């Protein structure tokens, strides 16, 4: 521990940054007040002097707002039907002289195609930022998420795998970029260097949140094994239920088993939304998965969506997030699947 001990202001944040570097096999880590502002900061510092940022439509509900706060226009593209993550082909088609950056998001189950996306970014000389919030514990082709080149963003919100109440951070291997990130969040507004309006964000993480996150980091294996038991229970029970298919974690990689996502298949005549309703009605916390897609929403700022998004349109109403997490016990899975089974058979029976 550095001089001054844990009570020195910023000491716990610094300790957390160091521990997160070890955890992610990352060179550098910079903590922010939230994941949202971490994303905004990365785009503000990385995007070229061009108006658009390419993002998936089937994703985290506030992603277009991130782009707006970074001073750019979101350009929505389609997802890949296999990964449900931003499609490298769609990104490549959308890149133009208007592209300032690509914001790729890891899906809730497994990872996006990091290699292909980095290749495209490199070939077109466009910066890429990864929203890696949902892949915090994962490896991608054997490599730890957080250890790739460039900028990978994570959240410590209470709903995420590492709970710091609220918080976010950026992992990077780029020393110069990291120095700019630090200036960006702590900058003294009265100093002359960064005077342009909106050029910095007061976004320091409080030490209290860092303390929570450090405790969360210590408990991660406990949480992952709990999540895995829940996942195994769903796997066993859902196998025999027609009309619904569990989205499988790629167990050749390290994963957190955190969120349970399932797809209603063509054999199911019960709609996803009525299944969510049935579960909620029974006091079970299920939610529509990334719905509605971002390009179908209305915004008070300009957005761009010149292409059709057929995959997004076809998956938007099919996926569901099933109840899971630390409040849920392994034994509770059975009653959830009972409700699913009943709902699916009721509707198809007419
Ligand atoms: C939660 C989340 C964020 C935002 O993180 P906050 O810390 O809540 O601001 C960004 N991206 C994804 C994919 C998320 O799930």
């Amino acid at each position: 521990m550095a001089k001054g001990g844990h009570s020195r202001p910023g000491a716990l944040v610094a300790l957390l940054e160091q521990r997160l570097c070890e955890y992610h096999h990352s060179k550098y880590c910079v903590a922010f007040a939230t994941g949202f502002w971490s994303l905004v900061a990365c785009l503000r510092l990385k995007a070229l002097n061009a108006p658009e940022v390419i993002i998936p439509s089937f994703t985290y509900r506030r992603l277009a707002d991130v782009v707006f706060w970074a001073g750019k226009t979101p350009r929505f593209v389609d997802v890949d039907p296999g990964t449900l993550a931003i499609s490298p082909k769609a990104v490549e088609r959308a890149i133009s002289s208007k592209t300032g950056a690509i914001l790729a998001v890891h899906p809730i189950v497994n990872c996006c195609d990091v290699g292909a996306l980095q290749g495209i970014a490199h070939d077109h000389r466009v910066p890429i930022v990864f929203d890696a919030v949902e892949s915090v514990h994962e490896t991608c082709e054997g490599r730890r998420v957080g250890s790739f080149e460039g900028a990978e963003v994570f959240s410590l919100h209470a709903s995420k795998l590492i709970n710091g109440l609220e918080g976010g951070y950026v992992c990077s291997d780029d020393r110069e970029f990291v120095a700019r990130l630090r200036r960006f969040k702590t900058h003294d507004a009265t100093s002359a260097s960064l005077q342009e309006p909106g050029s910095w964000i007061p976004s320091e993480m409080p030490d209290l949140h860092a303390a929570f996150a450090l405790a969360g980091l210590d408990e991660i294996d406990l949480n992952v094994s709990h999540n895995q038991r829940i996942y195994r229970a769903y796997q066993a029970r859902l196998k025999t239920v027609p009309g619904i298919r569990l989205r499988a974690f790629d167990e050749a990689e390290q994963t957190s088993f955190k969120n349970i996502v399932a797809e209603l298949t063509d054999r199911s005549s019960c709609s996803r939304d009525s299944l969510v309703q049935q579960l909620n009605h029974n006091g079970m916390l299920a939610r529509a998965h990334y719905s509605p897609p971002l390009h179908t929403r209305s915004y008070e700022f300009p957005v761009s969506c010149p292409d059709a998004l057929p995959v997004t349109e076809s998956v938007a109403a099919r996926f569901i997030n099933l109840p899971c997490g630390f409040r849920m016990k392994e034994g509770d899975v059975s009653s959830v699947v009972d409700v699913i089974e009943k709902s699916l058979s009721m509707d198809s029976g007419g």
Side-chain angles (χ1 to χ4, degrees):
M1 195 63 241
K3 288 180 254 63
H6 286 105
S7 58
R8 181 175 49 88
L12 288 178
V13 172
L15 179 61
L16 176 66
E17 287 174 340
Q18 183 195 322
R19 290 277 312 279
L20 287 168
C21 281
E22 290 160 17
Y23 172 68
H24 283 288
H25 307 168
S26 167
K27 260 199 183 135
Y28 305 103
C29 171
V30 183
F32 277 81
T34 66
F36 186 93
W37 290 116
S38 311
L39 287 168
V40 171
C42 287
L43 288 181
R44 287 258 193 103
L45 295 180
K46 273 197 175 279
L48 308 172
N49 188 18
E52 290 181 355
V53 173
I54 296 175
I55 67 171
S57 166
F58 187 64
T59 193
Y60 171 59
R61 66 191 162 80
R62 293 174 70 207
L63 206 70
D65 306 65
V66 165
V67 176
F68 166 74
W69 280 98
K72 303 285 181 188
T73 301
R75 158 121 189 209
F76 301 114
V77 298
D78 214 350
V79 290
D80 176 274
T83 61
L84 296 186
I86 189 166
S87 153
K89 282 195 194 108
V91 169
E92 188 142 44
R93 277 195 302 271
I95 286 183
S96 72
S97 58
K98 288 199 263 176
T99 308
I102 302 161
L103 177 52
V105 189
H106 287 299
I108 289 187
V109 176
N110 304 326
C111 291
C112 62
D113 190 343
V114 175
L117 291 162
Q118 278 180 332
I120 291 165
H122 182 262
D123 291 348
H124 294 267
R125 297 169 186 275
V126 171
I128 184 163
V129 173
F130 286 94
D131 176 335
V133 170
E134 293 292 354
S135 288
V136 59
H137 193 63
E138 292 173 12
T139 58
C140 182
E141 292 182 4
R143 187 165 163 182
R144 200 61 187 259
V145 172
S147 72
F148 289 90
E149 298 86 51
E152 293 169 271
V153 174
F154 300 88
S155 166
L156 297 167
H157 185 264
S159 62
K160 316 294 180 181
L161 186 67
I162 306 172
N163 175 1
L165 304 175
E166 185 94 90
Y169 58 97
V170 183
C171 285
S172 178
D173 64 339
D174 181 343
R175 188 173 159 173
E176 196 257 339
F177 172 62
V178 163
R180 289 171 69 214
L181 275 179
R182 291 200 185 284
R183 282 200 298 278
F184 189 75
K185 83 177 159 156
T186 55
H187 173 67
D188 169 9
T190 58
S191 86
S193 58
L194 280 163
Q195 282 287 338
E196 322 92 82
S199 69
W200 70 291
I201 298 167
S203 186
E204 199 66 80
M205 177 189 286
D207 276 311
L208 176 68
H209 291 185
F212 260 83
L214 282 162
L217 202 49
D218 283 341
E219 288 188 344
I220 211 154
D221 291 336
L222 214 65
N223 286 329
V224 169
S225 55
H226 171 81
N227 295 343
Q228 185 172 11
R229 282 196 296 278
I230 301 280
Y231 175 68
R232 292 277 178 257
Y234 272 114
Q235 242 181 347
R237 276 293 321 268
L238 283 177
K239 218 163 35 194
T240 56
V241 180
I244 188 162
R245 186 188 310 132
L246 190 64
R247 200 149 177 86
F249 287 99
D250 177 357
E251 299 197 36
E253 305 280 0
Q254 173 169 299
T255 185
S256 71
F257 300 98
K258 183 175 180 293
N259 290 299
I260 307 294
V261 179
E263 177 181 10
L264 296 199
T265 67
D266 292 332
R267 293 184 58 189
S268 159
S269 52
C270 168
S271 76
R272 188 268 316 276
D273 291 341
S274 71
L275 179 58
V276 169
Q277 236 173 34
Q278 284 300 320
L279 287 164
N280 292 350
H281 185 71
N282 283 274
M284 298 164 177
L285 189 67
R287 277 184 311 167
H289 177 73
Y290 285 154
S291 175
L294 305 190
H295 75 286
T296 65
R297 298 181 175 212
S298 64
Y299 296 93
E300 289 175 17
F301 50 84
V303 298
S304 165
C305 191
D307 313 309
L309 308 183
V311 181
T312 297
E313 303 274 351
S314 82
V315 297
R318 299 171 75 98
F319 287 86
I320 179 168
N321 298 345
L322 293 176
C324 58
F326 66 93
R327 282 191 201 80
M328 176 117 177
K329 290 193 278 304
E330 213 177 324
D332 299 337
V333 170
S334 214
S335 26
V336 172
V337 177
D338 286 344
V339 173
I340 294 175
E341 204 161 13
K342 194 162 153 233
S343 309
L344 296 187
S345 66
M346 243 174 15
D347 277 43
S348 60

